[in-house]
PDB file of all heavy atoms in Angstrom:
ATOM      1  N   PHE S   1       0.841  -1.198   0.000  1.00 98.00           N
ATOM      2  CA  PHE S   1       0.000   0.000   0.000  1.00 98.00           C
ATOM      3  C   PHE S   1       0.873   1.243   0.000  1.00 98.00           C
ATOM      4  O   PHE S   1       1.968   1.255   0.579  1.00 98.00           O
ATOM      5  CB  PHE S   1      -0.900   0.046   1.236  1.00 98.00           C
ATOM      6  CG  PHE S   1      -1.986  -0.999   1.283  1.00 98.00           C
ATOM      7  CD1 PHE S   1      -2.043  -2.043   0.379  1.00 98.00           C
ATOM      8  CD2 PHE S   1      -2.962  -0.925   2.264  1.00 98.00           C
ATOM      9  CE1 PHE S   1      -3.034  -2.998   0.430  1.00 98.00           C
ATOM     10  CE2 PHE S   1      -3.967  -1.875   2.331  1.00 98.00           C
ATOM     11  CZ  PHE S   1      -4.008  -2.913   1.421  1.00 98.00           C
ATOM     12  N   THR S   2       0.375   2.300  -0.603  1.00 98.00           N
ATOM     13  CA  THR S   2       1.070   3.576  -0.629  1.00 98.00           C
ATOM     14  C   THR S   2       0.087   4.701  -0.348  1.00 98.00           C
ATOM     15  O   THR S   2      -0.944   4.806  -1.011  1.00 98.00           O
ATOM     16  CB  THR S   2       1.748   3.825  -1.984  1.00 98.00           C
ATOM     17  OG1 THR S   2       2.654   2.762  -2.278  1.00 98.00           O
ATOM     18  CG2 THR S   2       2.526   5.140  -1.956  1.00 98.00           C
ATOM     19  N   ILE S   3       0.414   5.528   0.623  1.00 98.00           N
ATOM     20  CA  ILE S   3      -0.407   6.688   0.929  1.00 98.00           C
ATOM     21  C   ILE S   3       0.244   7.930   0.331  1.00 98.00           C
ATOM     22  O   ILE S   3       1.471   8.063   0.328  1.00 98.00           O
ATOM     23  CB  ILE S   3      -0.627   6.844   2.449  1.00 98.00           C
ATOM     24  CG1 ILE S   3      -1.672   7.928   2.733  1.00 98.00           C
ATOM     25  CG2 ILE S   3       0.683   7.127   3.174  1.00 98.00           C
ATOM     26  CD1 ILE S   3      -2.113   7.973   4.191  1.00 98.00           C
ATOM     27  N   SER S   4      -0.568   8.828  -0.168  1.00 96.00           N
ATOM     28  CA  SER S   4      -0.075  10.076  -0.729  1.00 96.00           C
ATOM     29  C   SER S   4      -1.144  11.141  -0.555  1.00 96.00           C
ATOM     30  O   SER S   4      -2.290  10.838  -0.229  1.00 96.00           O
ATOM     31  CB  SER S   4       0.292   9.911  -2.206  1.00 96.00           C
ATOM     32  OG  SER S   4      -0.840   9.546  -2.971  1.00 96.00           O
ATOM     33  N   ARG S   5      -0.763  12.378  -0.776  1.00 94.00           N
ATOM     34  CA  ARG S   5      -1.754  13.441  -0.673  1.00 94.00           C
ATOM     35  C   ARG S   5      -1.485  14.535  -1.685  1.00 94.00           C
ATOM     36  O   ARG S   5      -0.348  14.752  -2.124  1.00 94.00           O
ATOM     37  CB  ARG S   5      -1.818  14.002   0.757  1.00 94.00           C
ATOM     38  CG  ARG S   5      -0.595  14.762   1.236  1.00 94.00           C
ATOM     39  CD  ARG S   5      -0.698  15.038   2.746  1.00 94.00           C
ATOM     40  NE  ARG S   5      -1.931  15.727   3.093  1.00 94.00           N
ATOM     41  CZ  ARG S   5      -2.444  15.805   4.324  1.00 94.00           C
ATOM     42  NH1 ARG S   5      -1.818  15.215   5.346  1.00 94.00           N
ATOM     43  NH2 ARG S   5      -3.572  16.458   4.535  1.00 94.00           N
ATOM     44  N   GLU S   6      -2.548  15.206  -2.052  1.00 92.00           N
ATOM     45  CA  GLU S   6      -2.503  16.333  -2.964  1.00 92.00           C
ATOM     46  C   GLU S   6      -3.238  17.471  -2.258  1.00 92.00           C
ATOM     47  O   GLU S   6      -4.458  17.594  -2.352  1.00 92.00           O
ATOM     48  CB  GLU S   6      -3.152  15.983  -4.298  1.00 92.00           C
ATOM     49  CG  GLU S   6      -2.982  17.034  -5.365  1.00 92.00           C
ATOM     50  CD  GLU S   6      -3.485  16.558  -6.713  1.00 92.00           C
ATOM     51  OE1 GLU S   6      -3.509  15.332  -6.945  1.00 92.00           O
ATOM     52  OE2 GLU S   6      -3.858  17.409  -7.527  1.00 92.00           O
ATOM     53  N   ASN S   7      -2.473  18.281  -1.558  1.00 85.00           N
ATOM     54  CA  ASN S   7      -3.074  19.260  -0.663  1.00 85.00           C
ATOM     55  C   ASN S   7      -3.857  20.350  -1.390  1.00 85.00           C
ATOM     56  O   ASN S   7      -4.806  20.902  -0.831  1.00 85.00           O
ATOM     57  CB  ASN S   7      -2.000  19.893   0.220  1.00 85.00           C
ATOM     58  CG  ASN S   7      -1.536  18.969   1.320  1.00 85.00           C
ATOM     59  OD1 ASN S   7      -2.180  17.965   1.624  1.00 85.00           O
ATOM     60  ND2 ASN S   7      -0.407  19.296   1.939  1.00 85.00           N
ATOM     61  N   ALA S   8      -3.454  20.672  -2.607  1.00 88.00           N
ATOM     62  CA  ALA S   8      -4.184  21.683  -3.361  1.00 88.00           C
ATOM     63  C   ALA S   8      -5.632  21.266  -3.591  1.00 88.00           C
ATOM     64  O   ALA S   8      -6.518  22.116  -3.697  1.00 88.00           O
ATOM     65  CB  ALA S   8      -3.497  21.960  -4.687  1.00 88.00           C
ATOM     66  N   LYS S   9      -5.863  19.963  -3.663  1.00 88.00           N
ATOM     67  CA  LYS S   9      -7.213  19.436  -3.825  1.00 88.00           C
ATOM     68  C   LYS S   9      -7.786  18.905  -2.518  1.00 88.00           C
ATOM     69  O   LYS S   9      -8.901  18.384  -2.518  1.00 88.00           O
ATOM     70  CB  LYS S   9      -7.223  18.334  -4.882  1.00 88.00           C
ATOM     71  CG  LYS S   9      -6.853  18.813  -6.276  1.00 88.00           C
ATOM     72  CD  LYS S   9      -6.948  17.684  -7.286  1.00 88.00           C
ATOM     73  CE  LYS S   9      -6.628  18.171  -8.685  1.00 88.00           C
ATOM     74  NZ  LYS S   9      -6.721  17.072  -9.680  1.00 88.00           N
ATOM     75  N   LYS S  10      -7.020  19.042  -1.436  1.00 91.00           N
ATOM     76  CA  LYS S  10      -7.436  18.555  -0.122  1.00 91.00           C
ATOM     77  C   LYS S  10      -7.793  17.074  -0.170  1.00 91.00           C
ATOM     78  O   LYS S  10      -8.798  16.644   0.410  1.00 91.00           O
ATOM     79  CB  LYS S  10      -8.597  19.386   0.427  1.00 91.00           C
ATOM     80  CG  LYS S  10      -8.263  20.851   0.632  1.00 91.00           C
ATOM     81  CD  LYS S  10      -9.453  21.614   1.184  1.00 91.00           C
ATOM     82  CE  LYS S  10      -9.109  23.056   1.489  1.00 91.00           C
ATOM     83  NZ  LYS S  10      -8.727  23.804   0.270  1.00 91.00           N
ATOM     84  N   MET S  11      -6.960  16.313  -0.832  1.00 94.00           N
ATOM     85  CA  MET S  11      -7.227  14.895  -1.006  1.00 94.00           C
ATOM     86  C   MET S  11      -6.052  14.038  -0.547  1.00 94.00           C
ATOM     87  O   MET S  11      -4.890  14.427  -0.678  1.00 94.00           O
ATOM     88  CB  MET S  11      -7.533  14.579  -2.470  1.00 94.00           C
ATOM     89  CG  MET S  11      -8.784  15.235  -2.997  1.00 94.00           C
ATOM     90  SD  MET S  11      -9.167  14.755  -4.696  1.00 94.00           S
ATOM     91  CE  MET S  11      -9.703  13.054  -4.427  1.00 94.00           C
ATOM     92  N   VAL S  12      -6.387  12.887  -0.009  1.00 96.00           N
ATOM     93  CA  VAL S  12      -5.423  11.866   0.362  1.00 96.00           C
ATOM     94  C   VAL S  12      -5.813  10.579  -0.343  1.00 96.00           C
ATOM     95  O   VAL S  12      -7.002  10.249  -0.431  1.00 96.00           O
ATOM     96  CB  VAL S  12      -5.370  11.660   1.888  1.00 96.00           C
ATOM     97  CG1 VAL S  12      -4.475  10.479   2.245  1.00 96.00           C
ATOM     98  CG2 VAL S  12      -4.863  12.923   2.567  1.00 96.00           C
ATOM     99  N   PHE S  13      -4.822   9.855  -0.828  1.00 97.00           N
ATOM    100  CA  PHE S  13      -5.064   8.637  -1.580  1.00 97.00           C
ATOM    101  C   PHE S  13      -4.410   7.447  -0.903  1.00 97.00           C
ATOM    102  O   PHE S  13      -3.368   7.569  -0.262  1.00 97.00           O
ATOM    103  CB  PHE S  13      -4.521   8.769  -3.005  1.00 97.00           C
ATOM    104  CG  PHE S  13      -5.046   9.959  -3.739  1.00 97.00           C
ATOM    105  CD1 PHE S  13      -4.306  11.122  -3.816  1.00 97.00           C
ATOM    106  CD2 PHE S  13      -6.288   9.919  -4.344  1.00 97.00           C
ATOM    107  CE1 PHE S  13      -4.785  12.229  -4.493  1.00 97.00           C
ATOM    108  CE2 PHE S  13      -6.783  11.023  -5.024  1.00 97.00           C
ATOM    109  CZ  PHE S  13      -6.030  12.171  -5.100  1.00 97.00           C
ATOM    110  N   LEU S  14      -5.024   6.308  -1.063  1.00 98.00           N
ATOM    111  CA  LEU S  14      -4.438   5.049  -0.623  1.00 98.00           C
ATOM    112  C   LEU S  14      -4.421   4.108  -1.816  1.00 98.00           C
ATOM    113  O   LEU S  14      -5.466   3.597  -2.223  1.00 98.00           O
ATOM    114  CB  LEU S  14      -5.228   4.438   0.536  1.00 98.00           C
ATOM    115  CG  LEU S  14      -4.665   3.122   1.078  1.00 98.00           C
ATOM    116  CD1 LEU S  14      -3.269   3.329   1.660  1.00 98.00           C
ATOM    117  CD2 LEU S  14      -5.599   2.526   2.126  1.00 98.00           C
ATOM    118  N   GLN S  15      -3.241   3.922  -2.375  1.00 98.00           N
ATOM    119  CA  GLN S  15      -3.066   2.996  -3.479  1.00 98.00           C
ATOM    120  C   GLN S  15      -2.793   1.617  -2.906  1.00 98.00           C
ATOM    121  O   GLN S  15      -1.810   1.428  -2.186  1.00 98.00           O
ATOM    122  CB  GLN S  15      -1.914   3.435  -4.381  1.00 98.00           C
ATOM    123  CG  GLN S  15      -1.643   2.504  -5.554  1.00 98.00           C
ATOM    124  CD  GLN S  15      -2.779   2.481  -6.547  1.00 98.00           C
ATOM    125  OE1 GLN S  15      -3.288   3.530  -6.926  1.00 98.00           O
ATOM    126  NE2 GLN S  15      -3.179   1.297  -6.966  1.00 98.00           N
ATOM    127  N   MET S  16      -3.643   0.672  -3.218  1.00 98.00           N
ATOM    128  CA  MET S  16      -3.549  -0.676  -2.676  1.00 98.00           C
ATOM    129  C   MET S  16      -3.251  -1.643  -3.817  1.00 98.00           C
ATOM    130  O   MET S  16      -4.073  -1.809  -4.721  1.00 98.00           O
ATOM    131  CB  MET S  16      -4.842  -1.065  -1.960  1.00 98.00           C
ATOM    132  CG  MET S  16      -5.252  -0.088  -0.864  1.00 98.00           C
ATOM    133  SD  MET S  16      -6.700  -0.642   0.072  1.00 98.00           S
ATOM    134  CE  MET S  16      -7.946  -0.574  -1.218  1.00 98.00           C
ATOM    135  N   ASN S  17      -2.094  -2.256  -3.758  1.00 98.00           N
ATOM    136  CA  ASN S  17      -1.674  -3.223  -4.757  1.00 98.00           C
ATOM    137  C   ASN S  17      -1.517  -4.598  -4.128  1.00 98.00           C
ATOM    138  O   ASN S  17      -1.417  -4.731  -2.910  1.00 98.00           O
ATOM    139  CB  ASN S  17      -0.347  -2.796  -5.390  1.00 98.00           C
ATOM    140  CG  ASN S  17      -0.430  -1.478  -6.118  1.00 98.00           C
ATOM    141  OD1 ASN S  17      -1.463  -1.140  -6.699  1.00 98.00           O
ATOM    142  ND2 ASN S  17       0.657  -0.721  -6.106  1.00 98.00           N
ATOM    143  N   SER S  18      -1.473  -5.608  -4.965  1.00 98.00           N
ATOM    144  CA  SER S  18      -1.300  -6.990  -4.513  1.00 98.00           C
ATOM    145  C   SER S  18      -2.273  -7.331  -3.398  1.00 98.00           C
ATOM    146  O   SER S  18      -1.905  -7.895  -2.366  1.00 98.00           O
ATOM    147  CB  SER S  18       0.147  -7.220  -4.053  1.00 98.00           C
ATOM    148  OG  SER S  18       1.061  -6.957  -5.091  1.00 98.00           O
ATOM    149  N   LEU S  19      -3.518  -7.006  -3.612  1.00 98.00           N
ATOM    150  CA  LEU S  19      -4.530  -7.189  -2.579  1.00 98.00           C
ATOM    151  C   LEU S  19      -4.751  -8.663  -2.257  1.00 98.00           C
ATOM    152  O   LEU S  19      -4.684  -9.525  -3.139  1.00 98.00           O
ATOM    153  CB  LEU S  19      -5.839  -6.540  -3.003  1.00 98.00           C
ATOM    154  CG  LEU S  19      -5.857  -5.019  -2.869  1.00 98.00           C
ATOM    155  CD1 LEU S  19      -6.994  -4.425  -3.674  1.00 98.00           C
ATOM    156  CD2 LEU S  19      -5.975  -4.627  -1.404  1.00 98.00           C
ATOM    157  N   LYS S  20      -5.024  -8.911  -0.987  1.00 98.00           N
ATOM    158  CA  LYS S  20      -5.266 -10.249  -0.477  1.00 98.00           C
ATOM    159  C   LYS S  20      -6.661 -10.318   0.124  1.00 98.00           C
ATOM    160  O   LYS S  20      -7.201  -9.297   0.556  1.00 98.00           O
ATOM    161  CB  LYS S  20      -4.236 -10.598   0.600  1.00 98.00           C
ATOM    162  CG  LYS S  20      -2.787 -10.467   0.168  1.00 98.00           C
ATOM    163  CD  LYS S  20      -1.849 -10.698   1.340  1.00 98.00           C
ATOM    164  CE  LYS S  20      -0.409 -10.540   0.933  1.00 98.00           C
ATOM    165  NZ  LYS S  20       0.511 -10.738   2.088  1.00 98.00           N
ATOM    166  N   PRO S  21      -7.248 -11.510   0.184  1.00 98.00           N
ATOM    167  CA  PRO S  21      -8.569 -11.623   0.821  1.00 98.00           C
ATOM    168  C   PRO S  21      -8.601 -11.073   2.240  1.00 98.00           C
ATOM    169  O   PRO S  21      -9.630 -10.531   2.655  1.00 98.00           O
ATOM    170  CB  PRO S  21      -8.839 -13.127   0.791  1.00 98.00           C
ATOM    171  CG  PRO S  21      -8.091 -13.602  -0.402  1.00 98.00           C
ATOM    172  CD  PRO S  21      -6.834 -12.771  -0.434  1.00 98.00           C
ATOM    173  N   GLU S  22      -7.512 -11.183   2.972  1.00 97.00           N
ATOM    174  CA  GLU S  22      -7.468 -10.667   4.328  1.00 97.00           C
ATOM    175  C   GLU S  22      -7.458  -9.144   4.403  1.00 97.00           C
ATOM    176  O   GLU S  22      -7.558  -8.573   5.490  1.00 97.00           O
ATOM    177  CB  GLU S  22      -6.264 -11.229   5.098  1.00 97.00           C
ATOM    178  CG  GLU S  22      -4.951 -11.110   4.356  1.00 97.00           C
ATOM    179  CD  GLU S  22      -4.568 -12.380   3.622  1.00 97.00           C
ATOM    180  OE1 GLU S  22      -5.449 -12.966   2.949  1.00 97.00           O
ATOM    181  OE2 GLU S  22      -3.396 -12.798   3.716  1.00 97.00           O
ATOM    182  N   ASP S  23      -7.340  -8.475   3.264  1.00 98.00           N
ATOM    183  CA  ASP S  23      -7.477  -7.021   3.220  1.00 98.00           C
ATOM    184  C   ASP S  23      -8.933  -6.584   3.205  1.00 98.00           C
ATOM    185  O   ASP S  23      -9.213  -5.386   3.297  1.00 98.00           O
ATOM    186  CB  ASP S  23      -6.776  -6.450   1.984  1.00 98.00           C
ATOM    187  CG  ASP S  23      -5.270  -6.645   2.025  1.00 98.00           C
ATOM    188  OD1 ASP S  23      -4.670  -6.468   3.105  1.00 98.00           O
ATOM    189  OD2 ASP S  23      -4.696  -6.962   0.966  1.00 98.00           O
ATOM    190  N   THR S  24      -9.840  -7.520   3.056  1.00 98.00           N
ATOM    191  CA  THR S  24     -11.264  -7.200   3.028  1.00 98.00           C
ATOM    192  C   THR S  24     -11.691  -6.545   4.330  1.00 98.00           C
ATOM    193  O   THR S  24     -11.479  -7.088   5.412  1.00 98.00           O
ATOM    194  CB  THR S  24     -12.088  -8.461   2.779  1.00 98.00           C
ATOM    195  OG1 THR S  24     -11.798  -8.978   1.479  1.00 98.00           O
ATOM    196  CG2 THR S  24     -13.576  -8.163   2.870  1.00 98.00           C
ATOM    197  N   ALA S  25     -12.282  -5.368   4.229  1.00 98.00           N
ATOM    198  CA  ALA S  25     -12.686  -4.608   5.402  1.00 98.00           C
ATOM    199  C   ALA S  25     -13.374  -3.329   4.945  1.00 98.00           C
ATOM    200  O   ALA S  25     -13.352  -2.976   3.767  1.00 98.00           O
ATOM    201  CB  ALA S  25     -11.480  -4.261   6.273  1.00 98.00           C
ATOM    202  N   ILE S  26     -13.964  -2.639   5.896  1.00 98.00           N
ATOM    203  CA  ILE S  26     -14.381  -1.270   5.669  1.00 98.00           C
ATOM    204  C   ILE S  26     -13.185  -0.377   5.973  1.00 98.00           C
ATOM    205  O   ILE S  26     -12.590  -0.482   7.045  1.00 98.00           O
ATOM    206  CB  ILE S  26     -15.577  -0.875   6.552  1.00 98.00           C
ATOM    207  CG1 ILE S  26     -16.771  -1.772   6.260  1.00 98.00           C
ATOM    208  CG2 ILE S  26     -15.953   0.579   6.324  1.00 98.00           C
ATOM    209  CD1 ILE S  26     -17.950  -1.536   7.181  1.00 98.00           C
ATOM    210  N   TYR S  27     -12.852   0.477   5.044  1.00 98.00           N
ATOM    211  CA  TYR S  27     -11.712   1.368   5.194  1.00 98.00           C
ATOM    212  C   TYR S  27     -12.190   2.770   5.536  1.00 98.00           C
ATOM    213  O   TYR S  27     -13.074   3.314   4.873  1.00 98.00           O
ATOM    214  CB  TYR S  27     -10.876   1.382   3.915  1.00 98.00           C
ATOM    215  CG  TYR S  27     -10.013   0.161   3.765  1.00 98.00           C
ATOM    216  CD1 TYR S  27     -10.575  -1.078   3.488  1.00 98.00           C
ATOM    217  CD2 TYR S  27      -8.629   0.235   3.921  1.00 98.00           C
ATOM    218  CE1 TYR S  27      -9.795  -2.209   3.371  1.00 98.00           C
ATOM    219  CE2 TYR S  27      -7.835  -0.890   3.796  1.00 98.00           C
ATOM    220  CZ  TYR S  27      -8.429  -2.109   3.524  1.00 98.00           C
ATOM    221  OH  TYR S  27      -7.636  -3.230   3.401  1.00 98.00           O
ATOM    222  N   TYR S  28     -11.590   3.339   6.565  1.00 98.00           N
ATOM    223  CA  TYR S  28     -11.943   4.662   7.050  1.00 98.00           C
ATOM    224  C   TYR S  28     -10.746   5.600   6.956  1.00 98.00           C
ATOM    225  O   TYR S  28      -9.624   5.202   7.251  1.00 98.00           O
ATOM    226  CB  TYR S  28     -12.369   4.616   8.521  1.00 98.00           C
ATOM    227  CG  TYR S  28     -13.550   3.736   8.828  1.00 98.00           C
ATOM    228  CD1 TYR S  28     -13.378   2.389   9.126  1.00 98.00           C
ATOM    229  CD2 TYR S  28     -14.835   4.258   8.848  1.00 98.00           C
ATOM    230  CE1 TYR S  28     -14.458   1.584   9.429  1.00 98.00           C
ATOM    231  CE2 TYR S  28     -15.920   3.459   9.153  1.00 98.00           C
ATOM    232  CZ  TYR S  28     -15.725   2.118   9.443  1.00 98.00           C
ATOM    233  OH  TYR S  28     -16.800   1.322   9.747  1.00 98.00           O
ATOM    234  N   CYS S  29     -10.987   6.839   6.589  1.00 97.00           N
ATOM    235  CA  CYS S  29      -9.951   7.840   6.760  1.00 97.00           C
ATOM    236  C   CYS S  29     -10.254   8.652   8.004  1.00 97.00           C
ATOM    237  O   CYS S  29     -11.411   8.790   8.416  1.00 97.00           O
ATOM    238  CB  CYS S  29      -9.803   8.746   5.532  1.00 97.00           C
ATOM    239  SG  CYS S  29     -11.238   9.740   5.092  1.00 97.00           S
ATOM    240  N   ALA S  30      -9.207   9.156   8.628  1.00 97.00           N
ATOM    241  CA  ALA S  30      -9.325   9.885   9.878  1.00 97.00           C
ATOM    242  C   ALA S  30      -8.338  11.036   9.884  1.00 97.00           C
ATOM    243  O   ALA S  30      -7.271  10.953   9.275  1.00 97.00           O
ATOM    244  CB  ALA S  30      -9.067   8.957  11.071  1.00 97.00           C
ATOM    245  N   ALA S  31      -8.683  12.104  10.589  1.00 96.00           N
ATOM    246  CA  ALA S  31      -7.869  13.316  10.595  1.00 96.00           C
ATOM    247  C   ALA S  31      -7.463  13.708  12.005  1.00 96.00           C
ATOM    248  O   ALA S  31      -8.237  13.567  12.956  1.00 96.00           O
ATOM    249  CB  ALA S  31      -8.621  14.467   9.945  1.00 96.00           C
ATOM    250  N   SER S  32      -6.245  14.218  12.113  1.00 95.00           N
ATOM    251  CA  SER S  32      -5.716  14.755  13.353  1.00 95.00           C
ATOM    252  C   SER S  32      -5.005  16.057  13.056  1.00 95.00           C
ATOM    253  O   SER S  32      -4.289  16.162  12.054  1.00 95.00           O
ATOM    254  CB  SER S  32      -4.752  13.762  14.012  1.00 95.00           C
ATOM    255  OG  SER S  32      -4.161  14.311  15.174  1.00 95.00           O
ATOM    256  N   ARG S  33      -5.192  17.052  13.930  1.00 91.00           N
ATOM    257  CA  ARG S  33      -4.563  18.350  13.703  1.00 91.00           C
ATOM    258  C   ARG S  33      -3.046  18.259  13.725  1.00 91.00           C
ATOM    259  O   ARG S  33      -2.362  18.944  12.981  1.00 91.00           O
ATOM    260  CB  ARG S  33      -5.048  19.360  14.757  1.00 91.00           C
ATOM    261  CG  ARG S  33      -4.477  20.762  14.558  1.00 91.00           C
ATOM    262  CD  ARG S  33      -4.972  21.364  13.259  1.00 91.00           C
ATOM    263  NE  ARG S  33      -4.417  22.688  13.027  1.00 91.00           N
ATOM    264  CZ  ARG S  33      -3.262  22.917  12.422  1.00 91.00           C
ATOM    265  NH1 ARG S  33      -2.533  21.904  11.985  1.00 91.00           N
ATOM    266  NH2 ARG S  33      -2.831  24.164  12.250  1.00 91.00           N
ATOM    267  N   PHE S  34      -2.514  17.391  14.559  1.00 85.00           N
ATOM    268  CA  PHE S  34      -1.083  17.213  14.678  1.00 85.00           C
ATOM    269  C   PHE S  34      -0.732  15.748  14.540  1.00 85.00           C
ATOM    270  O   PHE S  34      -1.511  14.867  14.907  1.00 85.00           O
ATOM    271  CB  PHE S  34      -0.562  17.742  16.022  1.00 85.00           C
ATOM    272  CG  PHE S  34      -0.814  19.197  16.239  1.00 85.00           C
ATOM    273  CD1 PHE S  34      -1.863  19.618  17.038  1.00 85.00           C
ATOM    274  CD2 PHE S  34      -0.008  20.144  15.645  1.00 85.00           C
ATOM    275  CE1 PHE S  34      -2.094  20.962  17.241  1.00 85.00           C
ATOM    276  CE2 PHE S  34      -0.232  21.493  15.835  1.00 85.00           C
ATOM    277  CZ  PHE S  34      -1.279  21.903  16.633  1.00 85.00           C
ATOM    278  N   MET S  35       0.456  15.503  14.018  1.00 82.00           N
ATOM    279  CA  MET S  35       0.954  14.142  13.886  1.00 82.00           C
ATOM    280  C   MET S  35       1.292  13.607  15.267  1.00 82.00           C
ATOM    281  O   MET S  35       2.122  14.167  15.976  1.00 82.00           O
ATOM    282  CB  MET S  35       2.186  14.114  12.998  1.00 82.00           C
ATOM    283  CG  MET S  35       2.691  12.722  12.678  1.00 82.00           C
ATOM    284  SD  MET S  35       1.598  11.884  11.502  1.00 82.00           S
ATOM    285  CE  MET S  35       2.709  10.615  10.885  1.00 82.00           C
ATOM    286  N   SER S  36       0.640  12.530  15.653  1.00 82.00           N
ATOM    287  CA  SER S  36       0.856  11.937  16.958  1.00 82.00           C
ATOM    288  C   SER S  36       2.139  11.125  16.984  1.00 82.00           C
ATOM    289  O   SER S  36       2.572  10.580  15.970  1.00 82.00           O
ATOM    290  CB  SER S  36      -0.327  11.043  17.330  1.00 82.00           C
ATOM    291  OG  SER S  36      -0.083  10.358  18.538  1.00 82.00           O
ATOM    292  N   THR S  37       2.742  11.046  18.172  1.00 84.00           N
ATOM    293  CA  THR S  37       3.886  10.163  18.342  1.00 84.00           C
ATOM    294  C   THR S  37       3.457   8.707  18.381  1.00 84.00           C
ATOM    295  O   THR S  37       4.296   7.813  18.285  1.00 84.00           O
ATOM    296  CB  THR S  37       4.658  10.506  19.621  1.00 84.00           C
ATOM    297  OG1 THR S  37       3.774  10.444  20.746  1.00 84.00           O
ATOM    298  CG2 THR S  37       5.250  11.902  19.535  1.00 84.00           C
ATOM    299  N   GLN S  38       2.169   8.465  18.548  1.00 88.00           N
ATOM    300  CA  GLN S  38       1.583   7.133  18.498  1.00 88.00           C
ATOM    301  C   GLN S  38       0.404   7.163  17.518  1.00 88.00           C
ATOM    302  O   GLN S  38      -0.755   7.071  17.919  1.00 88.00           O
ATOM    303  CB  GLN S  38       1.136   6.677  19.885  1.00 88.00           C
ATOM    304  CG  GLN S  38       2.254   6.610  20.903  1.00 88.00           C
ATOM    305  CD  GLN S  38       1.767   6.121  22.252  1.00 88.00           C
ATOM    306  OE1 GLN S  38       1.229   5.017  22.380  1.00 88.00           O
ATOM    307  NE2 GLN S  38       1.953   6.943  23.273  1.00 88.00           N
ATOM    308  N   PRO S  39       0.696   7.258  16.239  1.00 89.00           N
ATOM    309  CA  PRO S  39      -0.368   7.486  15.244  1.00 89.00           C
ATOM    310  C   PRO S  39      -1.224   6.276  14.928  1.00 89.00           C
ATOM    311  O   PRO S  39      -2.185   6.409  14.168  1.00 89.00           O
ATOM    312  CB  PRO S  39       0.430   7.924  14.003  1.00 89.00           C
ATOM    313  CG  PRO S  39       1.739   7.223  14.144  1.00 89.00           C
ATOM    314  CD  PRO S  39       2.029   7.215  15.627  1.00 89.00           C
ATOM    315  N   MET S  40      -0.890   5.117  15.484  1.00 92.00           N
ATOM    316  CA  MET S  40      -1.617   3.900  15.155  1.00 92.00           C
ATOM    317  C   MET S  40      -2.893   3.699  15.964  1.00 92.00           C
ATOM    318  O   MET S  40      -3.661   2.774  15.677  1.00 92.00           O
ATOM    319  CB  MET S  40      -0.707   2.677  15.329  1.00 92.00           C
ATOM    320  CG  MET S  40      -0.321   2.327  16.767  1.00 92.00           C
ATOM    321  SD  MET S  40       0.727   3.567  17.592  1.00 92.00           S
ATOM    322  CE  MET S  40       2.154   3.584  16.490  1.00 92.00           C
TER     323      MET S  40
END
């Protein structure tokens, strides 16, 4: 997977390659004002 962003369009992308059945899920994006030291 590769995450990227295009701030001029206020967009973030998640490119998912070599997908596996175990990747099946509901995917959510989430926002934080500051980058956390524990972002997970």
Side-chain angles (χ1 to χ4, degrees):
F1 291 9
T2 303
I3 189 170
S4 62
R5 68 190 305 163
E6 188 173 335
N7 285 345
K9 296 183 178 180
K10 299 180 176 63
M11 296 184 72
V12 173
F13 305 98
L14 181 63
Q15 179 66 46
M16 305 185 294
N17 298 327
S18 301
L19 283 163
K20 305 174 181 179
E22 50 263 45
D23 294 319
T24 295
I26 300 174
Y27 283 71
Y28 301 88
C29 62
S32 176
R33 182 65 181 87
F34 300 101
M35 186 73 160
S36 174
T37 56
Q38 300 181 59
M40 69 294 300

